[in-house]
Amino acid sequence: MSVGKRSLGSLRGVVRRVRRVRRVELRRLAAGTAKAFALVAILAVALFLITGAVSSLYSQYGQHPEKNARTWAALAPVFADSATCRQCHEPEYSRWTRSEHGAVACESCHGPLSAHSLDQSVVAGEAAARSNEICAACHAKVVGRPERIPQPDLTAHYGSRACLQCHDAHSAVAVRPPVLSHPLADLPACAICHGAEGMKPMPADHQRSIDDACLACHVPVSSAAETGEERVP
Amino acid sequence: VSLTRRRLLTSCLAIVPGLVGAQLLSRWIPLFGEEQATPGSEVALAAARGASTTPDWAFACDTTKCIGCGLCVLACKEENHVPLDTEYRRTWVERHVVAADGAVYVDSPDGGMHGFPPDSTAPGAAGQAVRQAFFMPRLCMQCDNPPCVSICPVSATYRTEEGVVLVDEERCIGCGYCVVACPYGARYIVPSGAETPKGTAGVADKCTWCYHRTTRGQLPACVEVCPAGARVFGDLSDPDSPVSTVLHDQRTQVLRPELGTKPRVYYVGLEAEEA
């Protein structure tokens, strides 16, 4: 009986002690969990800050080929292209595409025209004024230039006359002579070369005096336009 | 506080949601002015090119067609604001004259910018009987295996997905290693005072195949102005592109193939010893 009472008392004591231990354990566990949460929060903030700092450093000092390539791609073109020129200059374009000069781009002779194409108040470079220089770039006789490119002796070929006095740059041919309407009896044999099918290349020994016999009446198209001289067709 | 194994592992695991959270947060909150990726920019570029896939750009130079007018050299300088002095150039034209005795004379006055005088200006060429003479356009080969990219100590030079080698002028330190490493002499250092499109003197510059034009669907300036069809640019992944036609119809070769640089500029009409 006494043994039972004592054992019952000790059992209560044990239960009480266990409860106390459990309470302490729970309190300790709660404190631990709070600490763990705090740790997680601190870590998250720290990682957020570190990631941000690293990425901002990386964007400043890192390698960014795609970003840099976009800056190269964003540069503004200086040259346009012939298709752009066509939008306003159809007559010249259609004459040019079907000619021997069809492979030569507008801007090969006229220079860069992107600014002009975007804003028509920007005056395009005057190619006609530099025509002799422009023609010579491709048609002067130069060692290494393929033979199929016409390379007349530019000093003998009508001397100092502007190329455009006889040649149309867009169609690359000399102006067609009119059908003869007067006898050539007392005139030089112009019609041998200046036939209805177009002019033949001038021979090196072409006499300027012979030219002058024709040119006394027949002023070339372009110089007539310049000087306002009356032109005999 | 005693650190048990269990607690240590739990704490370690707690890092995972922390990392994920930080990553998500940094995506939504632009706290550090991080470079925002512009979605669709590559798509926009591809649309401008009229192609859905990445193009495979290549270039061909036909030495049988080049007439040595030099319009390409001048156009390149105008298009890309390259200084007009002879030593700064992205492209140039050489004249090769082979004398009757087999000696080769190469000249390129002003890089061919103003065309060529009637006779070769190379030392010793005067008075030689000319057996063969032709012009040869030169430019960056945009190598598949570019020595300039490997040698750059700061990784400032790189290849784009289209195969064009570009210079990041913000990373370049102007050491000039790439200028020396390029076997084709395609690079130069921008002199101070030069008005480059990006305004960066002291860095390496080179031909980009007019990246700003080709990404818009235009031709490089040198190709645009070539009156002889000697310079051809296009996309090899398109079998009907001009450059594909040249490579199909003509027997071509690259310059200095033995170096293993795998150039993307193909030459028509060269003899073996010239390449």
Side-chain angles (χ1 to χ4, degrees):
Chain A
M1 191 65 172
S2 61
V3 173
K5 261 187 185 170
R6 218 182 297 142
S7 63
L8 193 67
S10 69
L11 191 65
R12 277 184 188 145
V14 166
V15 167
R16 220 175 292 137
R17 231 174 293 141
V18 164
R19 277 187 184 156
R20 200 185 307 137
V21 166
R22 225 186 243 167
R23 234 176 285 140
V24 169
E25 278 279 293
L26 276 172
R27 223 176 286 144
R28 216 181 265 165
L29 197 67
T33 314
K35 266 185 205 161
F37 270 111
L39 185 70
V40 168
I42 289 166
L43 276 172
V45 170
L47 278 166
F48 175 57
L49 291 172
I50 290 166
T51 316
V54 166
S55 68
S56 82
L57 279 174
Y58 178 70
S59 75
Q60 194 174 350
Y61 300 110
Q63 261 179 280
H64 303 285
E66 301 83 12
K67 183 184 152 200
N68 185 257
R70 282 200 293 277
T71 68
W72 281 108
L75 296 177
V78 175
F79 282 78
D81 49 36
S82 298
T84 306
C85 302
R86 181 186 193 175
Q87 292 168 12
C88 299
H89 302 280
E90 180 65 39
E92 289 81 5
Y93 186 90
S94 57
R95 197 144 45 101
W96 159 76
T97 41
R98 284 177 283 129
S99 80
E100 286 241 33
H101 273 171
V104 184
C106 303
E107 290 162 301
S108 302
C109 301
H110 292 277
L113 291 171
S114 185
H116 168 73
S117 73
L118 296 172
D119 176 6
Q120 273 75 64
S121 68
V122 177
V123 180
E126 184 55 74
R130 298 189 297 117
S131 66
N132 280 21
E133 182 197 321
I134 292 171
C135 298
C138 298
H139 293 289
K141 183 141 188 69
V142 161
V143 166
R145 188 158 285 169
E147 296 290 338
R148 70 192 142 73
I149 304 292
Q151 297 166 57
D153 180 349
L154 293 180
T155 52
H157 184 86
Y158 285 91
S160 60
R161 253 173 238 271
C163 305
L164 296 185
Q165 283 196 339
C166 299
H167 295 273
D168 172 33
H170 291 121
S171 61
V173 294
V175 177
R176 235 167 226 219
V179 177
L180 293 170
S181 57
H182 62 79
L184 290 170
D186 53 346
L187 285 172
C190 303
I192 294 172
C193 296
H194 297 241
E197 75 285 354
M199 292 190 200
K200 290 179 183 166
M202 190 183 74
D205 59 350
H206 197 286
Q207 297 291 314
R208 291 299 308 280
S209 60
I210 295 177
D211 268 356
D212 292 341
C214 297
L215 294 175
C217 302
H218 300 280
V219 180
V221 185
S222 50
S223 74
E226 269 170 32
T227 59
E229 214 173 327
E230 202 183 329
R231 186 174 164 268
V232 177
Chain B
V1 179
S2 68
L3 194 63
T4 62
R5 183 184 294 178
R6 179 177 296 237
R7 191 168 289 171
L8 179 71
L9 289 174
T10 319
S11 305
C12 285
L13 271 179
I15 291 175
V16 174
L19 257 179
V20 173
Q23 198 57 45
L24 289 175
L25 272 177
S26 70
R27 191 159 297 175
W28 288 321
I29 308 170
L31 188 60
F32 297 94
E34 204 180 338
E35 177 66 23
Q36 290 293 305
T38 44
S41 59
E42 296 304 318
V43 177
L45 280 182
R49 288 189 291 261
S52 55
T53 52
T54 305
D56 181 16
W57 288 339
F59 204 106
C61 291
D62 193 333
T63 62
T64 68
K65 286 187 175 171
C66 183
I67 63 172
C69 62
L71 292 180
C72 50
V73 183
L74 194 59
C76 172
K77 294 212 176 204
E78 289 174 317
E79 179 71 40
N80 299 296
H81 310 276
V82 177
L84 287 174
D85 309 63
T86 310
E87 64 263 44
Y88 310 116
R89 56 203 185 187
R90 287 181 171 200
T91 186
W92 68 99
V93 177
E94 291 171 353
R95 171 164 57 187
H96 291 231
V97 172
V98 185
D101 62 358
V104 180
Y105 300 94
V106 179
D107 73 329
S108 181
D110 290 341
M113 181 171 59
H114 306 298
F116 285 80
D119 295 303
S120 177
T121 57
Q128 295 279 353
V130 177
R131 194 180 68 195
Q132 185 191 55
F134 60 92
F135 294 100
M136 186 170 166
R138 296 291 305 265
L139 69 163
C140 173
M141 304 284 140
Q142 315 291 0
C143 305
D144 274 341
N145 185 19
C148 55
V149 171
S150 336
I151 204 161
C152 180
V154 293
S155 303
T157 191
Y158 58 92
R159 283 183 79 227
T160 69
E161 54 177 2
E162 302 94 344
V164 175
V165 177
L166 296 176
V167 180
D168 183 339
E169 74 288 346
E170 287 179 7
R171 286 186 73 81
C172 178
I173 56 171
C175 68
Y177 281 20
C178 56
V179 177
V180 181
C182 176
Y184 307 102
R187 284 169 169 255
Y188 69 96
I189 300 288
V190 179
S192 60
E195 287 185 20
T196 62
K198 292 186 168 190
T200 35
V203 301
D205 190 47
K206 65 180 286 299
C207 164
T208 64
W209 281 359
C210 284
Y211 195 68
H212 59 297
R213 297 177 61 84
T214 48
T215 48
R216 285 173 166 86
Q218 291 182 305
L219 292 170
C222 60
V223 178
E224 177 64 32
V225 303
C226 179
R231 287 174 179 253
V232 180
F233 172 85
D235 181 2
L236 280 184
S237 62
D238 171 9
D240 297 323
S241 76
V243 77
S244 297
T245 308
V246 169
L247 292 197
H248 179 272
D249 292 353
Q250 311 271 355
R251 255 43 65 203
T252 59
Q253 59 188 300
V254 296
L255 300 188
R256 307 197 65 183
E258 73 280 4
L259 297 176
T261 52
K262 297 195 168 64
R264 295 165 72 84
V265 177
Y266 299 87
Y267 281 84
V268 177
L270 289 183
E271 287 166 359
E273 62 268 26
E274 288 145 1

